[in-house]
Amino acid sequence: MKTAVYPGAFDPVTNGHIDIIERALKLFDKLYILVGENPQKTATFSPEERVGMLKESLKKHNHRIEIEHFNGLLLDYVKKKKSNVIIRGLRAISDFEFEFQRAQFNREFAKDVETIFLMTKDDYAFLSSSIVKEIAMFSGSVKGFVPAIVEKKLREKFRK
Ligand code: ADP
């Protein structure tokens, strides 16, 4: 069985993430979605909320994905799941430097783990969790950018 780990903060999940997940599911039998913490940022949603939104949005793929929060090193999680592939999405050039450094670092510590990059779909090239939160904060519409459950949770979070 071919498996891969897709890590991210998913704060919250966007249609850009969903697109990467659905495309990865065409390449792998099972996908482990790791909801992690980004030490550089304070999350808007709790780990439970982030996992909950992902689960609700990906219901139809239930049998082929596992979604959980993990507060530790990505490589430890990959080992725990007995996988050897990390999936990451790439948007603009600006993602490249960060991702390149991460992939090199991970290779240094686990030679048998490969990072595979899936290029963003054009429609989602500008889409990020931060932009979505910014729009929602100022009562803009995020329809079409995030799953319905996320739209609802954003409205609740930023209700004035
Ligand atoms: P992180 O904080 O680890 O970057 P994110 O939740 O922001 O976590 O993103 C997880 C992964 O999904 C990253 O590889 C990121 O580049 C990718 N990603 C996020 N948004 C998009 C998008 N619109 N199109 C393609 N990939 C994306």
Side-chain angles (χ1 to χ4, degrees), residues 6-12 14-17 19-20 23 38 41 87-91 95 98-99 102 117-121 124-129:
Y6 179 39
F10 305 104
D11 185 39
T14 69
N15 287 346
H17 296 124
D19 175 57
I20 297 289
R23 283 159 58 205
N38 182 341
K41 291 183 205 162
I87 298 283
R88 293 289 285 177
L90 269 188
R91 279 159 299 189
D95 274 345
F98 175 82
E99 295 294 346
R102 277 299 172 94
F117 297 97
L118 297 180
M119 205 63 79
T120 184
K121 196 171 153 187
Y124 303 139
F126 60 91
L127 192 54
S128 69
S129 301

mmCIF file of all heavy atoms in Angstrom, residues 6-12 14-17 19-20 23 38 41 87-91 95 98-99 102 117-121 124-129, ligand 1:
data_model
loop_
_atom_site.group_PDB
_atom_site.id
_atom_site.type_symbol
_atom_site.label_atom_id
_atom_site.label_comp_id
_atom_site.label_asym_id
_atom_site.label_seq_id
_atom_site.Cartn_x
_atom_site.Cartn_y
_atom_site.Cartn_z
ATOM 1 N N TYR A 6 0.648 14.340 4.575
ATOM 2 C CA TYR A 6 0.493 15.741 4.147
ATOM 3 C C TYR A 6 0.398 16.600 5.414
ATOM 4 O O TYR A 6 -0.626 16.612 6.089
ATOM 5 C CB TYR A 6 -0.760 15.884 3.285
ATOM 6 C CG TYR A 6 -1.035 17.303 2.790
ATOM 7 C CD1 TYR A 6 -0.014 18.155 2.380
ATOM 8 C CD2 TYR A 6 -2.341 17.784 2.725
ATOM 9 C CE1 TYR A 6 -0.276 19.440 1.917
ATOM 10 C CE2 TYR A 6 -2.628 19.064 2.259
ATOM 11 C CZ TYR A 6 -1.582 19.885 1.867
ATOM 12 O OH TYR A 6 -1.848 21.159 1.414
ATOM 13 N N PRO A 7 1.480 17.303 5.759
ATOM 14 C CA PRO A 7 1.471 18.121 6.969
ATOM 15 C C PRO A 7 1.120 19.574 6.688
ATOM 16 O O PRO A 7 1.395 20.093 5.605
ATOM 17 C CB PRO A 7 2.927 18.019 7.431
ATOM 18 C CG PRO A 7 3.708 17.939 6.149
ATOM 19 C CD PRO A 7 2.818 17.292 5.112
ATOM 20 N N GLY A 8 0.538 20.219 7.655
ATOM 21 C CA GLY A 8 0.247 21.648 7.513
ATOM 22 C C GLY A 8 -0.407 22.165 8.781
ATOM 23 O O GLY A 8 -0.724 21.391 9.695
ATOM 24 N N ALA A 9 -0.588 23.476 8.810
ATOM 25 C CA ALA A 9 -1.274 24.058 9.966
ATOM 26 C C ALA A 9 -2.787 23.971 9.749
ATOM 27 O O ALA A 9 -3.550 23.813 10.700
ATOM 28 C CB ALA A 9 -0.836 25.505 10.137
ATOM 29 N N PHE A 10 -3.217 24.107 8.509
ATOM 30 C CA PHE A 10 -4.644 24.039 8.158
ATOM 31 C C PHE A 10 -5.471 24.937 9.072
ATOM 32 O O PHE A 10 -6.432 24.494 9.694
ATOM 33 C CB PHE A 10 -5.154 22.588 8.195
ATOM 34 C CG PHE A 10 -4.358 21.650 7.339
ATOM 35 C CD1 PHE A 10 -3.438 20.761 7.895
ATOM 36 C CD2 PHE A 10 -4.484 21.672 5.958
ATOM 37 C CE1 PHE A 10 -2.684 19.910 7.100
ATOM 38 C CE2 PHE A 10 -3.737 20.825 5.142
ATOM 39 C CZ PHE A 10 -2.832 19.939 5.727
ATOM 40 N N ASP A 11 -5.089 26.218 9.119
ATOM 41 C CA ASP A 11 -5.681 27.151 10.085
ATOM 42 C C ASP A 11 -6.430 28.284 9.380
ATOM 43 O O ASP A 11 -5.975 29.427 9.462
ATOM 44 C CB ASP A 11 -4.562 27.698 10.978
ATOM 45 C CG ASP A 11 -5.090 28.595 12.090
ATOM 46 O OD1 ASP A 11 -6.146 28.265 12.645
ATOM 47 O OD2 ASP A 11 -4.455 29.619 12.382
ATOM 48 N N PRO A 12 -7.554 28.030 8.694
ATOM 49 C CA PRO A 12 -8.263 26.764 8.512
ATOM 50 C C PRO A 12 -7.942 26.162 7.144
ATOM 51 O O PRO A 12 -7.246 26.777 6.326
ATOM 52 C CB PRO A 12 -9.723 27.247 8.510
ATOM 53 C CG PRO A 12 -9.646 28.562 7.795
ATOM 54 C CD PRO A 12 -8.321 29.169 8.178
ATOM 55 N N THR A 14 -8.369 25.248 3.355
ATOM 56 C CA THR A 14 -8.946 26.001 2.228
ATOM 57 C C THR A 14 -9.160 25.034 1.055
ATOM 58 O O THR A 14 -8.683 23.897 1.094
ATOM 59 C CB THR A 14 -7.996 27.120 1.742
ATOM 60 O OG1 THR A 14 -6.862 26.496 1.119
ATOM 61 C CG2 THR A 14 -7.540 28.023 2.864
ATOM 62 N N ASN A 15 -9.797 25.539 0.005
ATOM 63 C CA ASN A 15 -9.977 24.692 -1.180
ATOM 64 C C ASN A 15 -8.642 24.390 -1.858
ATOM 65 O O ASN A 15 -8.535 23.431 -2.608
ATOM 66 C CB ASN A 15 -10.952 25.350 -2.153
ATOM 67 C CG ASN A 15 -12.373 25.281 -1.631
ATOM 68 O OD1 ASN A 15 -12.654 24.529 -0.686
ATOM 69 N ND2 ASN A 15 -13.283 26.041 -2.220
ATOM 70 N N GLY A 16 -7.625 25.214 -1.594
ATOM 71 C CA GLY A 16 -6.268 24.950 -2.110
ATOM 72 C C GLY A 16 -5.724 23.668 -1.479
ATOM 73 O O GLY A 16 -5.160 22.811 -2.163
ATOM 74 N N HIS A 17 -5.906 23.519 -0.171
ATOM 75 C CA HIS A 17 -5.489 22.286 0.512
ATOM 76 C C HIS A 17 -6.281 21.081 -0.007
ATOM 77 O O HIS A 17 -5.716 20.028 -0.264
ATOM 78 C CB HIS A 17 -5.743 22.373 2.026
ATOM 79 C CG HIS A 17 -4.952 23.423 2.759
ATOM 80 N ND1 HIS A 17 -5.540 24.409 3.522
ATOM 81 C CD2 HIS A 17 -3.609 23.636 2.859
ATOM 82 C CE1 HIS A 17 -4.603 25.170 4.070
ATOM 83 N NE2 HIS A 17 -3.418 24.727 3.679
ATOM 84 N N ASP A 19 -7.695 20.617 -2.807
ATOM 85 C CA ASP A 19 -7.246 20.253 -4.161
ATOM 86 C C ASP A 19 -5.967 19.403 -4.100
ATOM 87 O O ASP A 19 -5.856 18.389 -4.785
ATOM 88 C CB ASP A 19 -7.018 21.545 -4.972
ATOM 89 C CG ASP A 19 -6.447 21.256 -6.340
ATOM 90 O OD1 ASP A 19 -7.082 20.494 -7.092
ATOM 91 O OD2 ASP A 19 -5.364 21.774 -6.664
ATOM 92 N N ILE A 20 -5.025 19.812 -3.254
ATOM 93 C CA ILE A 20 -3.770 19.048 -3.111
ATOM 94 C C ILE A 20 -4.095 17.644 -2.577
ATOM 95 O O ILE A 20 -3.572 16.633 -3.060
ATOM 96 C CB ILE A 20 -2.775 19.772 -2.146
ATOM 97 C CG1 ILE A 20 -2.352 21.136 -2.708
ATOM 98 C CG2 ILE A 20 -1.556 18.901 -1.838
ATOM 99 C CD1 ILE A 20 -1.444 21.121 -3.915
ATOM 100 N N ARG A 23 -5.719 15.462 -5.253
ATOM 101 C CA ARG A 23 -4.750 15.039 -6.274
ATOM 102 C C ARG A 23 -3.769 14.020 -5.700
ATOM 103 O O ARG A 23 -3.372 13.075 -6.393
ATOM 104 C CB ARG A 23 -4.043 16.260 -6.849
ATOM 105 C CG ARG A 23 -4.990 16.981 -7.852
ATOM 106 C CD ARG A 23 -4.606 18.413 -8.069
ATOM 107 N NE ARG A 23 -3.263 18.534 -8.543
ATOM 108 C CZ ARG A 23 -2.514 19.644 -8.371
ATOM 109 N NH1 ARG A 23 -3.006 20.690 -7.741
ATOM 110 N NH2 ARG A 23 -1.308 19.690 -8.840
ATOM 111 N N ASN A 38 2.644 25.697 13.721
ATOM 112 C CA ASN A 38 3.707 26.476 13.102
ATOM 113 C C ASN A 38 4.285 27.382 14.192
ATOM 114 O O ASN A 38 3.612 28.290 14.664
ATOM 115 C CB ASN A 38 3.098 27.305 11.954
ATOM 116 C CG ASN A 38 4.143 28.120 11.222
ATOM 117 O OD1 ASN A 38 5.230 28.360 11.747
ATOM 118 N ND2 ASN A 38 3.815 28.543 10.015
ATOM 119 N N LYS A 41 3.794 31.122 14.047
ATOM 120 C CA LYS A 41 2.478 31.774 14.085
ATOM 121 C C LYS A 41 1.626 31.218 15.207
ATOM 122 O O LYS A 41 1.723 30.039 15.550
ATOM 123 C CB LYS A 41 1.727 31.495 12.772
ATOM 124 C CG LYS A 41 2.304 32.159 11.554
ATOM 125 C CD LYS A 41 1.407 31.861 10.356
ATOM 126 C CE LYS A 41 2.167 31.953 9.044
ATOM 127 N NZ LYS A 41 1.475 31.286 7.952
ATOM 128 N N ILE A 87 4.031 15.033 1.353
ATOM 129 C CA ILE A 87 3.423 15.835 0.285
ATOM 130 C C ILE A 87 3.413 17.292 0.726
ATOM 131 O O ILE A 87 3.045 17.598 1.872
ATOM 132 C CB ILE A 87 1.942 15.411 0.053
ATOM 133 C CG1 ILE A 87 1.839 13.957 -0.394
ATOM 134 C CG2 ILE A 87 1.247 16.356 -0.925
ATOM 135 C CD1 ILE A 87 2.196 13.701 -1.818
ATOM 136 N N ARG A 88 3.791 18.183 -0.178
ATOM 137 C CA ARG A 88 3.646 19.617 0.084
ATOM 138 C C ARG A 88 3.086 20.275 -1.173
ATOM 139 O O ARG A 88 3.286 19.779 -2.291
ATOM 140 C CB ARG A 88 5.004 20.267 0.429
ATOM 141 C CG ARG A 88 5.596 19.801 1.741
ATOM 142 C CD ARG A 88 4.863 20.302 2.949
ATOM 143 N NE ARG A 88 5.138 21.709 3.221
ATOM 144 C CZ ARG A 88 4.548 22.389 4.207
ATOM 145 N NH1 ARG A 88 3.632 21.820 4.980
ATOM 146 N NH2 ARG A 88 4.846 23.654 4.423
ATOM 147 N N GLY A 89 2.390 21.380 -0.979
ATOM 148 C CA GLY A 89 1.854 22.126 -2.116
ATOM 149 C C GLY A 89 2.781 23.298 -2.401
ATOM 150 O O GLY A 89 3.412 23.833 -1.486
ATOM 151 N N LEU A 90 2.877 23.679 -3.650
ATOM 152 C CA LEU A 90 3.712 24.836 -4.011
ATOM 153 C C LEU A 90 2.867 25.873 -4.725
ATOM 154 O O LEU A 90 2.178 25.562 -5.690
ATOM 155 C CB LEU A 90 4.832 24.411 -4.956
ATOM 156 C CG LEU A 90 6.165 23.976 -4.391
ATOM 157 C CD1 LEU A 90 7.154 23.803 -5.532
ATOM 158 C CD2 LEU A 90 6.725 24.960 -3.374
ATOM 159 N N ARG A 91 2.925 27.082 -4.222
ATOM 160 C CA ARG A 91 2.212 28.171 -4.893
ATOM 161 C C ARG A 91 3.214 29.023 -5.648
ATOM 162 O O ARG A 91 3.741 28.611 -6.658
ATOM 163 C CB ARG A 91 1.430 29.015 -3.882
ATOM 164 C CG ARG A 91 0.107 28.418 -3.486
ATOM 165 C CD ARG A 91 -0.374 28.980 -2.185
ATOM 166 N NE ARG A 91 0.580 28.685 -1.118
ATOM 167 C CZ ARG A 91 0.362 28.893 0.163
ATOM 168 N NH1 ARG A 91 -0.753 29.455 0.549
ATOM 169 N NH2 ARG A 91 1.253 28.575 1.065
ATOM 170 N N ASP A 95 7.028 30.376 -1.940
ATOM 171 C CA ASP A 95 6.972 29.114 -1.190
ATOM 172 C C ASP A 95 8.269 28.328 -1.366
ATOM 173 O O ASP A 95 8.642 27.533 -0.524
ATOM 174 C CB ASP A 95 5.842 28.201 -1.721
ATOM 175 C CG ASP A 95 4.486 28.492 -1.085
ATOM 176 O OD1 ASP A 95 4.466 29.177 -0.046
ATOM 177 O OD2 ASP A 95 3.468 28.051 -1.635
ATOM 178 N N PHE A 98 11.437 28.349 1.287
ATOM 179 C CA PHE A 98 11.082 27.702 2.541
ATOM 180 C C PHE A 98 10.996 26.186 2.354
ATOM 181 O O PHE A 98 11.561 25.403 3.113
ATOM 182 C CB PHE A 98 9.733 28.270 3.019
ATOM 183 C CG PHE A 98 9.195 27.614 4.244
ATOM 184 C CD1 PHE A 98 9.644 27.982 5.503
ATOM 185 C CD2 PHE A 98 8.234 26.609 4.148
ATOM 186 C CE1 PHE A 98 9.139 27.363 6.637
ATOM 187 C CE2 PHE A 98 7.719 25.989 5.277
ATOM 188 C CZ PHE A 98 8.185 26.371 6.516
ATOM 189 N N GLU A 99 10.283 25.780 1.302
ATOM 190 C CA GLU A 99 10.064 24.352 1.057
ATOM 191 C C GLU A 99 11.377 23.641 0.709
ATOM 192 O O GLU A 99 11.598 22.506 1.109
ATOM 193 C CB GLU A 99 9.040 24.152 -0.073
ATOM 194 C CG GLU A 99 7.646 24.657 0.256
ATOM 195 C CD GLU A 99 6.954 23.880 1.372
ATOM 196 O OE1 GLU A 99 7.428 22.784 1.732
ATOM 197 O OE2 GLU A 99 5.950 24.387 1.913
ATOM 198 N N ARG A 102 13.306 23.081 3.908
ATOM 199 C CA ARG A 102 12.666 22.013 4.686
ATOM 200 C C ARG A 102 12.961 20.630 4.119
ATOM 201 O O ARG A 102 13.291 19.695 4.841
ATOM 202 C CB ARG A 102 11.144 22.203 4.682
ATOM 203 C CG ARG A 102 10.627 23.166 5.702
ATOM 204 C CD ARG A 102 10.991 22.655 7.078
ATOM 205 N NE ARG A 102 10.690 23.639 8.078
ATOM 206 C CZ ARG A 102 9.541 23.670 8.755
ATOM 207 N NH1 ARG A 102 8.600 22.797 8.526
ATOM 208 N NH2 ARG A 102 9.355 24.590 9.675
ATOM 209 N N PHE A 117 6.248 17.480 -4.335
ATOM 210 C CA PHE A 117 5.540 18.764 -4.419
ATOM 211 C C PHE A 117 4.482 18.726 -5.498
ATOM 212 O O PHE A 117 4.760 18.319 -6.630
ATOM 213 C CB PHE A 117 6.534 19.895 -4.718
ATOM 214 C CG PHE A 117 7.535 20.078 -3.621
ATOM 215 C CD1 PHE A 117 8.788 19.512 -3.695
ATOM 216 C CD2 PHE A 117 7.184 20.795 -2.485
ATOM 217 C CE1 PHE A 117 9.702 19.655 -2.662
ATOM 218 C CE2 PHE A 117 8.084 20.951 -1.450
ATOM 219 C CZ PHE A 117 9.343 20.378 -1.535
ATOM 220 N N LEU A 118 3.296 19.153 -5.150
ATOM 221 C CA LEU A 118 2.231 19.268 -6.136
ATOM 222 C C LEU A 118 2.004 20.753 -6.376
ATOM 223 O O LEU A 118 1.821 21.529 -5.432
ATOM 224 C CB LEU A 118 0.950 18.596 -5.642
ATOM 225 C CG LEU A 118 1.049 17.081 -5.416
ATOM 226 C CD1 LEU A 118 -0.278 16.511 -4.938
ATOM 227 C CD2 LEU A 118 1.466 16.370 -6.692
ATOM 228 N N MET A 119 2.055 21.134 -7.630
ATOM 229 C CA MET A 119 1.906 22.544 -7.992
ATOM 230 C C MET A 119 0.446 22.963 -7.840
ATOM 231 O O MET A 119 -0.447 22.209 -8.225
ATOM 232 C CB MET A 119 2.356 22.694 -9.449
ATOM 233 C CG MET A 119 2.830 24.059 -9.819
ATOM 234 S SD MET A 119 4.276 24.528 -8.886
ATOM 235 C CE MET A 119 5.548 23.653 -9.759
ATOM 236 N N THR A 120 0.243 24.139 -7.313
ATOM 237 C CA THR A 120 -1.119 24.630 -7.100
ATOM 238 C C THR A 120 -1.922 24.703 -8.409
ATOM 239 O O THR A 120 -1.352 24.906 -9.486
ATOM 240 C CB THR A 120 -1.089 26.041 -6.463
ATOM 241 O OG1 THR A 120 -2.408 26.444 -6.187
ATOM 242 C CG2 THR A 120 -0.441 27.074 -7.367
ATOM 243 N N LYS A 121 -3.221 24.532 -8.261
ATOM 244 C CA LYS A 121 -4.105 24.740 -9.393
ATOM 245 C C LYS A 121 -4.174 26.265 -9.580
ATOM 246 O O LYS A 121 -4.239 26.991 -8.590
ATOM 247 C CB LYS A 121 -5.479 24.193 -8.973
ATOM 248 C CG LYS A 121 -6.450 23.965 -10.060
ATOM 249 C CD LYS A 121 -7.634 23.226 -9.476
ATOM 250 C CE LYS A 121 -8.870 23.536 -10.268
ATOM 251 N NZ LYS A 121 -10.053 22.982 -9.669
ATOM 252 N N TYR A 124 -6.189 28.598 -7.402
ATOM 253 C CA TYR A 124 -5.883 28.710 -5.975
ATOM 254 C C TYR A 124 -4.479 29.254 -5.702
ATOM 255 O O TYR A 124 -4.009 29.226 -4.568
ATOM 256 C CB TYR A 124 -6.036 27.343 -5.299
ATOM 257 C CG TYR A 124 -7.399 26.734 -5.463
ATOM 258 C CD1 TYR A 124 -7.551 25.380 -5.714
ATOM 259 C CD2 TYR A 124 -8.543 27.515 -5.350
ATOM 260 C CE1 TYR A 124 -8.812 24.820 -5.857
ATOM 261 C CE2 TYR A 124 -9.804 26.966 -5.492
ATOM 262 C CZ TYR A 124 -9.934 25.618 -5.754
ATOM 263 O OH TYR A 124 -11.174 25.068 -5.891
ATOM 264 N N ALA A 125 -3.829 29.767 -6.737
ATOM 265 C CA ALA A 125 -2.438 30.195 -6.607
ATOM 266 C C ALA A 125 -2.258 31.287 -5.550
ATOM 267 O O ALA A 125 -1.219 31.406 -4.927
ATOM 268 C CB ALA A 125 -1.928 30.671 -7.955
ATOM 269 N N PHE A 126 -3.300 32.084 -5.352
ATOM 270 C CA PHE A 126 -3.208 33.220 -4.425
ATOM 271 C C PHE A 126 -3.809 32.880 -3.056
ATOM 272 O O PHE A 126 -3.800 33.695 -2.138
ATOM 273 C CB PHE A 126 -4.015 34.397 -5.002
ATOM 274 C CG PHE A 126 -5.459 34.025 -5.169
ATOM 275 C CD1 PHE A 126 -6.359 34.251 -4.138
ATOM 276 C CD2 PHE A 126 -5.892 33.364 -6.303
ATOM 277 C CE1 PHE A 126 -7.672 33.847 -4.256
ATOM 278 C CE2 PHE A 126 -7.201 32.963 -6.426
ATOM 279 C CZ PHE A 126 -8.096 33.192 -5.401
ATOM 280 N N LEU A 127 -4.337 31.674 -2.955
ATOM 281 C CA LEU A 127 -5.145 31.338 -1.775
ATOM 282 C C LEU A 127 -4.310 30.834 -0.606
ATOM 283 O O LEU A 127 -3.483 29.935 -0.758
ATOM 284 C CB LEU A 127 -6.150 30.259 -2.205
ATOM 285 C CG LEU A 127 -7.285 29.915 -1.258
ATOM 286 C CD1 LEU A 127 -8.067 31.145 -0.874
ATOM 287 C CD2 LEU A 127 -8.213 28.893 -1.918
ATOM 288 N N SER A 128 -4.520 31.412 0.555
ATOM 289 C CA SER A 128 -3.837 30.940 1.767
ATOM 290 C C SER A 128 -4.801 31.070 2.938
ATOM 291 O O SER A 128 -5.772 31.836 2.874
ATOM 292 C CB SER A 128 -2.594 31.790 2.038
ATOM 293 O OG SER A 128 -2.982 33.098 2.419
ATOM 294 N N SER A 129 -4.526 30.345 4.002
ATOM 295 C CA SER A 129 -5.373 30.427 5.198
ATOM 296 C C SER A 129 -5.382 31.868 5.725
ATOM 297 O O SER A 129 -6.415 32.369 6.163
ATOM 298 C CB SER A 129 -4.854 29.488 6.290
ATOM 299 O OG SER A 129 -4.824 28.167 5.833
HETATM 300 P P1 ADP B 1 2.264 25.402 6.732
HETATM 301 O O1 ADP B 1 2.095 26.381 7.847
HETATM 302 O O2 ADP B 1 2.933 24.125 7.086
HETATM 303 O O3 ADP B 1 2.775 26.007 5.433
HETATM 304 P P2 ADP B 1 -0.352 25.412 5.539
HETATM 305 O O4 ADP B 1 -1.601 24.916 6.167
HETATM 306 O O5 ADP B 1 -0.254 26.862 5.285
HETATM 307 O O6 ADP B 1 0.787 24.902 6.470
HETATM 308 O O7 ADP B 1 -0.078 24.641 4.192
HETATM 309 C C1 ADP B 1 0.152 23.256 4.128
HETATM 310 C C2 ADP B 1 0.680 22.909 2.753
HETATM 311 O O8 ADP B 1 -0.312 23.201 1.760
HETATM 312 C C3 ADP B 1 1.915 23.687 2.335
HETATM 313 O O9 ADP B 1 2.745 22.830 1.577
HETATM 314 C C4 ADP B 1 1.368 24.793 1.476
HETATM 315 O O10 ADP B 1 2.319 25.256 0.541
HETATM 316 C C5 ADP B 1 0.217 24.063 0.784
HETATM 317 N N1 ADP B 1 -0.817 24.992 0.321
HETATM 318 C C6 ADP B 1 -1.513 25.885 1.045
HETATM 319 N N2 ADP B 1 -2.375 26.591 0.276
HETATM 320 C C7 ADP B 1 -2.208 26.115 -0.992
HETATM 321 C C8 ADP B 1 -2.781 26.457 -2.266
HETATM 322 N N3 ADP B 1 -3.672 27.428 -2.399
HETATM 323 N N4 ADP B 1 -2.355 25.753 -3.357
HETATM 324 C C9 ADP B 1 -1.414 24.794 -3.226
HETATM 325 N N5 ADP B 1 -0.835 24.435 -2.061
HETATM 326 C C10 ADP B 1 -1.213 25.083 -0.959
#
